[in-house]
Amino acid sequence: MSPKGTTSDVPARCALGDPQFDRRYRAISARDERFDGQFITAVTSTGIYCRPSCPARTPMPAHVIFFLTAAAAQQAGFRACRRCRPDASPGTPEWNLRHDLVSRAMRLIEDGIVDREGVDALASRLGHSPRHVQRLLVAELGAGPRALARARRVQTARSLLTSTDLSIADVAFAAGFGSVRQFNDTFREIFAERPREVRARFRGHGPALPPSAERSTPSGAQLPSVPLDVELPVRSPFDAVGVFRFLAERAITGVEIAEVGTPDRLRYARTLMLPHGPGALDLVATPGGSDGLRTWSVRAHLELSSLADVTPAVARARRLLDLDADPRAIDSALASDPALAPLVAATPGVRLPGAVDPQELVVRAMVGQQISVTTARAHLSRLTAEIGEPVHSSIPGLTRLFPATASIAALTRPDTGDTLDPDRPLRLPGAQLRAVIDVARAFEAGELTIHQAMEPADVRERLLARPGIGPWTTAYVVLRLFNDPDVWLTGDVALLAGARAVGLIGSLTPDGGSRPPLRRLHATLADRADAWAPWRSYAVIHLWRAATATTHTSPPLSIPRRTS
């Protein structure tokens, strides 16, 4: 693991005698599932690469080479193991921990930018030349952007082959291949079998409708009737209840729906805008395994305007639920603090709720500043009903997209001192309303740009330069946009309430004296939080939950500063 903002100190290729070899070999000898997705085991005597937990007999050390990515193993001529299916592993948590050029490139590649726009577009988004990006990725990961994109296409294709009845041609197109011939050749190279043979061995869960079928719609954008159901691999433990409830509490009418009333089935669905048009995703988590509610399976039902949007839709679903996190490493670090240990024991595997669209997240965060979650939700639901684009989905309750920044920018901007229209779509105070409209106009004019390829520090700087956006809001945006594991929300009074509940900052009125200044309490807690790096964001989730648990039994510090 490397410090944030630096390049990794782990080599792209690791063989016997290299510094990391013994540690990784112990992991594969123990078939440790914690390392699935974090590196690849290649066996020179068989020409096969596996996930670390592969149940096959552990090869001799002299026959093992470790790679950081499947793409690097494929470039070296290894085929994927049919037994352990390394392509079905969760993603690496490394890209959330690091914010260097490599991690930012990988987030874009996983979102499908190379397939949609090419390597030049990837390099342009990163602000570097294609040659520099190629050189750095090969040096760090053992493969360039095209090879990494191809490995991602193979992963998507195999998932579609085994979970849907899409035709072979449609699977190839949905995964990002340029032709069926290229698709077949790649599968034979990596799996030593044809796509049809893969499908025959791993039959899906049910047929999808023919790609040509369309439903009639009364109004609004039309979503195709090509339902796709894909499995989303997840590391255990997974606090599904916590992340689904977080999203449910903030669900905007028409855009999002949620069902979290029973612990045996959790559901969250929403509309979203994808590169090729509007879409919808429906996420369902069900518990299972010997660990009860700590082990979950997650499936995504997708409705897309184009099969080419499968990759970005899946990537955004994974970010939304923080499925690539390393929960055991996080829990182990936080549990070393006696004050947090009971929280970790009670709720292992907490996740950071992510976001599907940067501009939407910024608007939601601004609307939710210093008001309750319920009030923010009402404001945003009213705004969506007024100016959100209608869509027709087969998922009941999903009727609109979140308002586009162009629509928000077109709202009437009140001047200072103006009497506010009581029927305005966004019923915020004048100064806050002007700030939201100004940010939307800045997005539309290209004066403000926020995306996954940026450095978090740059995002903070750009947002802080805007009137009406403070440090708390920028930190919240960074936490959710990047699933950044090490964000501390300075000034969040709900964190103080949680800290008080677990005994981190003691009584608010020590020795019966006067109430200590909030600034001093925030500073004390922030100093204590430094010991939780690089997992402070997960400590935030634990303390927020502790604050909520004591709401009815302990007086609040003040109105908790939360956002939508």
Side-chain angles (χ1 to χ4, degrees), residues 330-344:
I330 296 163
D331 289 353
S332 176
L334 296 182
S336 64
D337 188 312
L340 295 183
L343 303 181
V344 174

Side-chain angles (χ1 to χ4, degrees), residues 1-42:
M1 185 180 302
S2 60
K4 296 201 312 177
T6 66
T7 56
S8 174
D9 56 3
V10 179
R13 182 182 186 277
C14 179
L16 184 63
D18 291 330
Q20 294 285 336
F21 185 88
D22 289 344
R23 175 174 175 268
R24 292 183 174 185
Y25 191 80
R26 287 194 297 271
I28 68 169
S29 297
R31 296 173 175 80
D32 196 331
E33 294 181 355
R34 292 177 298 172
F35 294 92
D36 286 354
Q38 300 195 40
F39 63 84
I40 293 292
T41 304

Side-chain angles (χ1 to χ4, degrees), residues 307 386 434 459 561:
L307 285 172
E386 293 269 355
R434 285 192 293 273
V459 170
R561 192 182 197 187

Side-chain angles (χ1 to χ4, degrees), residues 311-469:
T311 292
V314 169
R316 292 170 201 191
R318 294 194 64 80
R319 289 200 299 267
L320 189 65
L321 301 181
D322 194 18
L323 295 184
D324 292 333
D326 185 354
R328 296 189 186 182
I330 296 163
D331 289 353
S332 176
L334 296 182
S336 64
D337 188 312
L340 295 183
L343 303 181
V344 174
T347 313
V350 298
R351 293 302 204 270
L352 304 178
V356 300
D357 182 85
Q359 296 178 349
E360 174 188 321
L361 175 62
V362 171
V363 171
R364 293 177 73 146
M366 293 182 69
V367 170
Q369 291 179 120
Q370 297 183 318
I371 59 177
S372 69
V373 170
T374 302
T375 303
R377 180 180 179 180
H379 282 318
L380 291 163
S381 294
R382 185 182 303 112
L383 177 69
T384 298
E386 293 269 355
I387 64 173
E389 179 185 354
V391 295
H392 182 77
S393 168
S394 66
I395 303 171
L398 299 186
T399 59
R400 292 183 180 271
L401 293 170
F402 186 83
T405 52
S407 299
I408 299 173
L411 294 176
T412 301
R413 182 187 186 279
D415 293 327
T416 303
D418 284 355
T419 300
L420 298 176
D421 181 357
D423 295 325
R424 60 194 183 279
L426 190 54
R427 298 177 189 177
L428 298 175
Q432 192 175 1
L433 179 58
R434 285 192 293 273
V436 172
I437 293 174
D438 287 346
V439 162
R441 291 177 178 179
F443 277 132
E444 283 301 297
E447 299 169 3
L448 178 61
T449 303
I450 304 294
H451 55 74
Q452 283 280 333
M454 295 175 62
E455 295 184 23
D458 191 16
V459 170
R460 289 177 186 258
E461 181 181 351
R462 295 188 186 194
L463 291 178
L464 284 172
R466 308 296 310 183
I469 301 181

Side-chain angles (χ1 to χ4, degrees), residues 90-106:
T92 175
E94 187 79 1
W95 313 139
N96 292 339
L97 279 164
R98 295 169 55 175
H99 296 303
D100 56 8
L101 182 62
V102 170
S103 64
R104 290 184 283 126
M106 286 303 299

Side-chain angles (χ1 to χ4, degrees), residues 125-208:
R125 192 75 63 86
L126 294 169
H128 292 272
S129 69
R131 181 178 179 182
H132 179 70
V133 172
Q134 168 78 18
R135 182 170 59 247
L136 189 61
L137 291 178
V138 170
E140 289 265 347
L141 305 179
R146 289 186 177 85
L148 291 163
R150 187 183 79 149
R152 197 271 316 147
R153 288 196 296 272
V154 168
Q155 182 181 27
T156 300
R158 183 154 183 167
S159 176
L160 294 175
L161 282 171
T162 59
S163 62
T164 77
D165 276 346
L166 286 175
S167 69
I168 297 298
D170 284 333
V171 169
F173 174 66
F177 287 94
S179 68
V180 174
R181 180 176 180 178
Q182 181 191 59
F183 175 48
N184 286 326
D185 290 346
T186 301
F187 254 67
R188 281 196 293 267
E189 177 185 343
I190 294 175
F191 299 111
E193 56 185 347
R194 294 175 297 179
R196 293 185 187 278
E197 294 170 334
V198 173
R199 170 167 280 172
R201 289 192 300 106
F202 300 95
R203 199 60 185 167
H205 298 282

Side-chain angles (χ1 to χ4, degrees), residues 200-329:
R201 289 192 300 106
F202 300 95
R203 199 60 185 167
H205 298 282
L209 296 177
S212 58
E214 294 182 350
R215 68 166 65 87
S216 59
T217 61
S219 63
Q222 179 171 302
L223 298 180
S225 55
V226 188
L228 300 179
D229 291 278
V230 296
E231 189 80 21
L232 302 181
V234 56
R235 290 187 180 89
S236 296
F238 174 46
D239 177 28
V241 173
V243 70
F244 274 77
R245 281 183 178 170
F246 184 98
L247 296 170
E249 290 168 358
R250 292 154 178 80
I252 298 171
T253 303
V255 175
E256 300 162 291
I257 59 170
E259 298 172 6
V260 294
T262 58
D264 59 341
R265 185 180 185 273
L266 305 173
R267 180 173 177 239
Y268 169 82
R270 66 157 296 155
T271 60
L272 71 168
M273 181 59 72
L274 293 163
H276 295 89
L281 60 86
D282 191 351
L283 304 173
V284 175
T286 53
S290 58
D291 293 333
L293 297 184
R294 297 185 181 184
T295 302
W296 294 78
S297 64
V298 180
R299 292 192 65 82
H301 172 80
L302 308 177
E303 289 185 341
L304 308 171
S305 294
S306 169
L307 285 172
D309 281 335
V310 170
T311 292
V314 169
R316 292 170 201 191
R318 294 194 64 80
R319 289 200 299 267
L320 189 65
L321 301 181
D322 194 18
L323 295 184
D324 292 333
D326 185 354
R328 296 189 186 182

